[in-house]
Amino acid sequence: MTTPEPFSRVKIRVGAVLFCGTEVALIRRERRGAVHYSPPGGNVEPGEDLLGALRRELAEELRLDAGRATVPELLWVVDQRVSRPGPNPPPRKLHLLYRLHVSPEVRAALATEEYDELPDGTHDVGSIVWIDHREAAGLPVFPPVGAALAALAHPEAPAASTALPAVTDDNYTWV
């Protein structure tokens, strides 16, 4: 059996750019001595539609009933072609990031930690943090949307472009 070429498989990941006022929810993780942030979300499962995957991920990671947020709006697409450690060739991953808004009352009831199951059955615990979107440019966010978040004039502002720059081995090192 031949080993697949890197990026010959395509995975789709949905993520939430979830606002409450001017603050956006990010998952903060510490791995290998480094801190990084990511929007809540995850991979689309086989047979699952995109918005169904987004609803599932929001429920799993934040305990958010999607009916208590605004209707998701596709905000950004990020094409990831980054090598990473491990025996399997990395997939190409398309990150579809949807903007939603919640009220302070809904935010108060959301999870404050997110548990990511690891292959050995243990969990990596991330903290749900709320950061003013204008301060995201200086954070290590993956996919790298910090600068785009900070560039929004306000949380409802249209994005300059739906397609953000691709993430490749030339501009990103796997953490």
Side-chain angles (χ1 to χ4, degrees):
M1 183 172 170
T2 61
T3 302
E5 291 291 319
F7 317 121
S8 61
R9 296 176 298 122
V10 176
K11 285 188 162 186
I12 299 173
R13 182 186 190 279
V14 293
V17 179
L18 181 65
F19 282 99
C20 181
T22 61
E23 293 184 321
V24 65
L26 295 172
I27 300 173
R28 181 185 188 275
R29 295 191 185 283
E30 293 184 34
R31 288 189 179 150
R32 298 189 257 311
V35 172
H36 76 275
Y37 299 82
S38 62
N43 291 329
V44 176
E45 295 177 358
E48 191 173 35
D49 69 71
L50 299 174
L51 293 180
L54 182 65
R55 285 189 296 274
R56 176 183 52 76
E57 289 291 343
L58 289 171
E60 288 175 2
E61 296 187 355
L62 299 178
R63 292 193 320 251
L64 175 61
D65 173 351
R68 300 200 63 206
T70 59
V71 174
E73 167 200 1
L74 182 62
L75 185 62
W76 294 308
V77 177
V78 179
D79 183 6
Q80 171 192 325
R81 295 179 311 275
V82 178
S83 299
R84 61 181 187 199
N88 299 321
R92 179 178 193 168
K93 191 172 282 193
L94 297 177
H95 297 263
L96 308 178
L97 294 138
Y98 292 86
R99 174 170 33 195
L100 301 94
H101 299 267
V102 294
S103 68
E105 296 77 23
V106 170
R107 174 182 166 175
L110 297 179
T112 58
E113 293 182 326
E114 191 273 333
Y115 298 86
D116 195 14
E117 188 171 352
L118 301 174
D120 65 2
T122 62
H123 290 87
D124 179 28
V125 181
S127 300
I128 310 300
V129 296
W130 292 84
I131 296 170
D132 189 294
H133 74 96
R134 295 162 292 201
E135 297 173 8
L139 296 176
V141 180
F142 191 86
V145 297
L149 270 169
L152 291 173
H154 54 83
E156 295 85 16
S161 174
T162 302
L164 292 182
V167 181
T168 67
D169 289 332
D170 293 333
N171 61 17
Y172 185 81
T173 302
W174 192 260
V175 177

